Amino acid sequence: MLTSLSIKNYALIDNLQVDFNDGFSIITGETGAGKSILLGGLSLILGKRADLSSLKDTEQKCVIEAVFDIKNYKLEALFKAEDFDYEHQTIIRREILPSGKSRAFVNDSPVNLNSLQLLGERLIDIHSQHETLQLTSNEFQFQIIDALADNEAVLQTYKTELKAYKSLNKELQELLNFQSEAIKEHDYNTFLLNELTEANLVEGELELLEEEYGTLNNIEGIKEKLSEAYQLLNEESIGILATLTLLKSTLQKLATLSSKYEDLFNRVNSSLIEMDDVYAEVDVLQDTLEADPNRLATVDAKLRLLHNLMHKHAASTVTELIDIKNKLQEKVLLTENLDASIDAKRLEIEAKTGILNSISKEIHSKRTKIIPELKAQLETILASLGMPNAQFKIELVYGDAFLPNGKDDLTFLFSANKGGHFNDLKKAASGGELSRIMLAIKSVLAKYIQLPTIMFDEIDTGVSGEISNKMGDIMLQMSKTMQVFSITHLPQIAAKGHTHFKVFKEDVNNVTQTNLIKLNHDERIVEIAQMLGGLEMSASAIAHAKELLN
């Protein structure tokens, strides 16, 4: 609830500080005294945009501060979501600087206007004759029914499941879109994969094939050179082996004389052994080396294939070709497995659809059961407010589509006159009737949910007599469970308040100022008497005022 309000340098208000109680508070004052200024200042606290014309003194900043007791409002989740510092006694402050800039604070932490508006909606509901269009909103009508049907928890579950359902549908659509594109590439990717698979790619084979091709393609020249080497090694008188054998024999005679001669001998002996091995290998190579045109053709074909594939795929090695083949294999497998993924996703959606249908039927059932009770309560209250023939026709049709709050289509029709046609509220009810309907709805809601502080701004305009008395009774009844303000011109309503405030203008140093004071019992008698009979109060007006207060 609103516990205090401070306004400095705003419109006609110089410096105002007022404390409020719970229960039913009345605000009265002559036309033009500044009640709208008070509401304007309060609206800034609730997130309304400000402008420089709001400043009383354009060289000083305007500061509006309100303190709220919110311990029973269950706002911890909202404070956490908006990153506010939560306090049971929460202070909201707005500042309008001479530069025109505006700042907002919640518990001394700066906040933006969107966040302030979200919080403000949960703290104060300012209701006037000109703000009854909310009543004609289908969303608000659902809120009324769901409040009475105690649907808050089940609706939260529904919204969570609906979010998951939409996410699954989005994932399915992405799979279908991917499949549509993948199918176009599938045949080509499959062709490329088969081409690479049939090539029997082996890491390092390119180098081996190129070496083998070089041998097979030059076999006659190789054989000729091997033959020359064979002759050089094995020439009978001057061959390398014969010469080394003679050298070895010569040095062998010196080896026993000195270690350095022995070293020479050993080195020549090692060379002889090595040359003997070379000779043996050359001999083997000559015997095994044969021309093989078929093998040459096979190697040539494989090399051409590998080079063509490397050029086609912009690869520089067979290893890169193998990597490309593996990636193509993944794409082809993914495309071929998409049907299974899509079927699995559809099964998930089917299961989620079943859950949502079950929840939405529960929501529909609870709404259907509460509608006759809501209709009866509203019609009873409106009859006491001078609308004895008021009737509602509230129809709920269970549909096919999943809507943000279930699957129901709601028609909220109204008829003010006996035998009259039912029509939409905004067409069937006048402004004054809409105000009374809204009062009736708020009074019903107050029995079921914790409403924020509500301020009725002259919703009793055009009402008098017993009807105004009944409106006052309804607001008084509401104030048992919530804080209620009524800005009124009617003494019958003013007399029912627990606390009474008066808005008035006064001239201070030739400057007009708006002020707000709390009236004591005697001051209330005078104020109500003036509301009954004007400034020239008669004895009967004073007596009547006392009677109303008692």
Side-chain angles (χ1 to χ4, degrees):
M1 72 172 207
L2 177 64
T3 60
S4 70
L5 178 66
S6 168
I7 302 177
K8 295 179 181 178
N9 195 36
Y10 176 75
L12 294 179
I13 298 175
D14 182 43
N15 191 350
L16 183 150
Q17 171 68 48
V18 60
D19 296 326
F20 299 108
N21 301 319
D22 57 3
F24 189 21
S25 297
I26 300 294
I27 299 175
T28 60
E30 295 180 8
T31 301
K35 296 187 292 295
S36 61
I37 295 174
L38 184 68
L39 285 178
L42 196 55
S43 295
L44 289 175
I45 287 293
L46 305 180
K48 180 183 176 182
R49 296 200 172 274
D51 59 69
L52 200 55
S53 63
S54 303
L55 273 63
K56 187 174 188 293
D57 182 347
T58 57
E59 296 189 3
Q60 300 292 324
K61 70 178 178 180
C62 163
V63 180
I64 302 174
E65 187 172 281
V67 181
F68 294 88
D69 182 347
I70 63 170
K71 61 178 176 292
N72 296 324
Y73 281 28
K74 299 179 180 178
L75 294 177
E76 289 87 349
L78 174 63
F79 271 67
K80 184 177 181 180
E82 295 298 324
D83 200 23
F84 296 159
D85 292 329
Y86 180 82
E87 299 287 346
H88 287 326
Q89 293 290 325
T90 283
I91 302 171
I92 300 178
R93 186 172 79 256
R94 281 293 296 277
E95 296 180 357
I96 307 168
L97 307 179
S99 63
K101 290 184 178 180
S102 168
R103 300 185 299 186
F105 302 86
V106 173
N107 294 328
D108 286 330
S109 295
V111 300
N112 61 51
L113 285 191
N114 288 336
S115 295
L116 187 58
Q117 287 170 3
L118 283 175
L119 178 58
E121 289 170 0
R122 304 287 293 273
L123 297 177
I124 298 184
D125 177 8
I126 298 178
H127 177 66
S128 69
Q129 263 202 352
H130 306 293
E131 295 172 339
T132 52
L133 287 180
Q134 182 190 29
L135 183 57
T136 65
S137 152
N138 197 245
E139 181 181 356
F140 180 68
Q141 293 163 1
F142 267 118
Q143 288 175 2
I144 299 166
I145 293 171
D146 287 325
L148 271 66
D150 192 23
N151 269 338
E152 182 181 0
V154 70
L155 273 171
Q156 189 57 52
T157 302
Y158 173 85
K159 289 174 182 177
T160 301
E161 296 293 340
L162 181 62
K163 183 178 180 182
Y165 170 81
K166 289 180 176 179
S167 178
L168 287 172
N169 273 285
K170 182 181 178 183
E171 291 169 11
L172 173 62
Q173 191 57 52
E174 288 173 351
L175 280 173
L176 291 171
N177 291 341
F178 180 78
Q179 185 185 50
S180 176
E181 292 299 317
I183 286 172
K184 297 175 185 176
E185 300 178 4
H186 180 64
D187 290 343
Y188 182 58
N189 285 338
T190 302
F191 168 75
L192 293 177
L193 176 62
N194 289 338
E195 193 176 49
L196 289 171
T197 302
E198 290 170 2
N200 293 319
L201 301 172
V202 178
E203 285 191 37
E205 72 170 332
L206 180 65
E207 293 77 10
L208 294 173
L209 287 169
E210 286 177 339
E211 181 181 334
E212 185 179 1
Y213 179 82
T215 299
L216 291 171
N217 197 41
N218 296 282
I219 195 161
E220 294 301 328
I222 295 171
K223 290 179 73 174
E224 182 181 337
K225 294 301 178 183
L226 284 174
S227 177
E228 290 180 10
Y230 185 83
Q231 292 298 323
L232 287 171
L233 284 166
N234 199 35
E235 185 74 31
E236 185 174 345
S237 57
I238 60 170
I240 294 172
L241 288 175
T243 303
L244 283 174
T245 300
L246 179 60
L247 180 59
K248 173 186 174 183
S249 177
T250 301
L251 292 175
Q252 188 173 18
K253 296 174 183 178
L254 299 174
T256 58
L257 300 177
S258 171
S259 60
K260 55 185 176 182
Y261 300 133
E262 186 180 8
D263 287 341
L264 282 173
F265 169 79
N266 289 334
R267 288 166 65 189
V268 169
N269 188 48
S270 295
S271 297
L272 179 59
I273 293 169
E274 180 66 23
M275 288 298 104
D276 197 47
D277 285 343
V278 170
Y279 168 72
E281 189 168 343
V282 169
D283 190 35
V284 170
L285 287 172
Q286 284 191 107
D287 292 340
T288 58
L289 197 60
E290 296 290 341
D292 189 346
N294 292 331
R295 177 59 185 167
L296 178 61
T298 300
V299 172
D300 182 55
K302 183 64 179 286
L303 282 172
R304 289 177 184 275
L305 174 63
L306 290 177
H307 283 115
N308 287 337
L309 289 173
M310 289 163 64
H311 177 74
K312 186 174 188 175
H313 294 279
S316 57
T317 64
V318 173
T319 301
E320 288 182 26
L321 280 179
I322 293 172
D323 290 340
I324 292 168
K325 186 195 81 167
N326 292 337
K327 288 176 182 176
L328 282 169
Q329 194 167 36
E330 289 175 8
K331 286 184 179 180
V332 170
L333 285 173
L334 181 61
T335 304
E336 291 174 350
N337 292 333
L338 272 177
D339 285 336
S341 299
I342 289 170
D343 289 342
K345 192 63 65 179
R346 283 180 171 144
L347 285 174
E348 286 187 72
I349 292 172
E350 186 179 335
K352 192 65 69 178
T353 301
I355 293 171
L356 281 170
N357 278 327
S358 175
I359 298 172
S360 58
K361 284 176 182 175
E362 181 184 355
I363 293 169
H364 175 78
S365 175
K366 294 176 77 174
R367 285 170 175 168
T368 302
K369 288 177 183 177
I370 205 65
I371 282 174
E373 182 180 336
L374 172 63
K375 181 176 180 294
Q377 287 194 56
L378 291 178
E379 289 173 356
T380 298
I381 294 171
L382 289 177
S384 70
L385 294 176
M387 299 173 66
N389 298 314
Q391 285 185 293
F392 288 92
K393 183 187 284 187
I394 306 173
E395 297 177 343
L396 204 64
V397 179
Y398 189 76
D400 297 322
F402 291 121
L403 304 173
N405 62 351
K407 296 181 75 173
D408 292 325
D409 182 33
L410 175 65
T411 306
F412 209 100
L413 303 177
F414 177 73
S415 173
N417 304 307
K418 186 177 289 187
H421 295 293
F422 285 96
N423 210 334
D424 290 338
L425 273 171
K426 58 185 174 185
K427 296 179 181 178
S430 66
E433 288 171 335
L434 281 173
S435 288
R436 280 180 270 179
I437 293 170
M438 182 61 98
L439 176 60
I441 286 172
K442 296 284 185 179
S443 68
V444 171
L445 285 174
K447 301 175 187 176
Y448 294 88
I449 58 174
Q450 176 67 53
L451 292 174
T453 292
I454 189 165
M455 186 168 287
F456 293 106
D457 179 19
E458 298 184 356
I459 68 162
D460 48 28
T461 301
V463 175
S464 60
E466 183 56 31
I467 295 174
S468 65
N469 193 48
K470 185 60 181 175
M471 291 180 82
D473 286 339
I474 290 173
M475 287 186 273
L476 181 61
Q477 180 65 30
M478 290 174 66
S479 73
K480 292 181 179 179
T481 57
M482 60 185 295
Q483 187 183 39
V484 178
F485 288 88
S486 177
I487 299 174
T488 181
H489 288 293
L490 297 180
Q492 294 92 336
I493 292 177
K496 294 181 184 295
H498 300 120
T499 312
H500 192 148
F501 297 90
K502 180 177 180 177
V503 180
F504 63 95
K505 284 182 181 178
E506 60 180 346
D507 292 335
V508 179
N509 297 326
N510 293 320
V511 177
T512 301
Q513 295 183 0
T514 288
N515 215 328
L516 178 74
I517 59 168
K518 181 178 179 180
L519 303 180
N520 59 32
H521 183 72
D522 292 338
E523 289 169 336
R524 287 189 74 182
I525 293 172
V526 173
E527 177 69 8
I528 292 172
Q530 289 180 344
M531 294 172 74
L532 287 164
L535 293 176
E536 300 295 329
M537 294 178 295
S538 63
S540 62
I542 293 176
H544 192 187
K546 290 180 179 179
E547 183 181 348
L548 286 174
L549 282 169
N550 291 331

